[in-house]
Amino acid sequence: MTRTVRWTAWAVLLALAVFQAYAQRFVISPDGVSYLDLSDAVVHGDWPRLVNLYWSPLYPLLIGVARAVTHAGPRTEIAAVHGVNVVCFVAMLAAFDYMLM
């Protein structure tokens, strides 16, 4: 694959991811609300509440760290979740590109 095609694909995919996050910045699914509730454990230091048998602890940990770093309140915590999603998408895209090469 040529370098131009790779960089173009990266640019298009990143632009689409950012556009999607911005367009849905006030929307969250019921599962997303559960992850936000679990991220409260990270923000408030209640670590045992983070681990349960139904939800993965890594994603709420990432959301909780993002909320703690950005001091996201109730009005901006959904935007923080979408920011975490974009960062996770970039990491996934980088891993895919690495494996493809």
Side-chain angles (χ1 to χ4, degrees), residues 14 17-18 21 62 66 80-94:
L14 291 178
V18 170
L62 294 174
V81 171
H82 288 299
V84 168
N85 289 343
V86 169
V87 169
C88 289
F89 178 78
V90 170
M92 179 274 315
L93 189 59

Side-chain angles (χ1 to χ4, degrees), residues 12-97:
V12 168
L13 290 171
L14 291 178
L16 287 172
V18 170
F19 174 75
Q20 177 73 18
Y22 181 76
Q24 301 292 320
R25 67 189 176 276
F26 300 120
V27 179
I28 192 164
S29 69
D31 286 349
V33 173
S34 296
Y35 279 121
L36 267 175
D37 289 341
L38 285 173
S39 73
D40 288 339
V42 176
V43 173
H44 300 299
D46 187 15
W47 296 101
R49 200 177 89 194
L50 187 63
V51 178
N52 62 49
L53 296 176
Y54 191 72
W55 299 103
S56 167
L58 180 60
Y59 187 56
L61 177 71
L62 294 174
I63 294 171
V65 168
R67 287 179 56 204
V69 168
T70 61
H71 303 291
R75 296 185 77 175
T76 57
E77 64 187 3
I78 296 174
V81 171
H82 288 299
V84 168
N85 289 343
V86 169
V87 169
C88 289
F89 178 78
V90 170
M92 179 274 315
L93 189 59
F96 178 77
D97 188 40

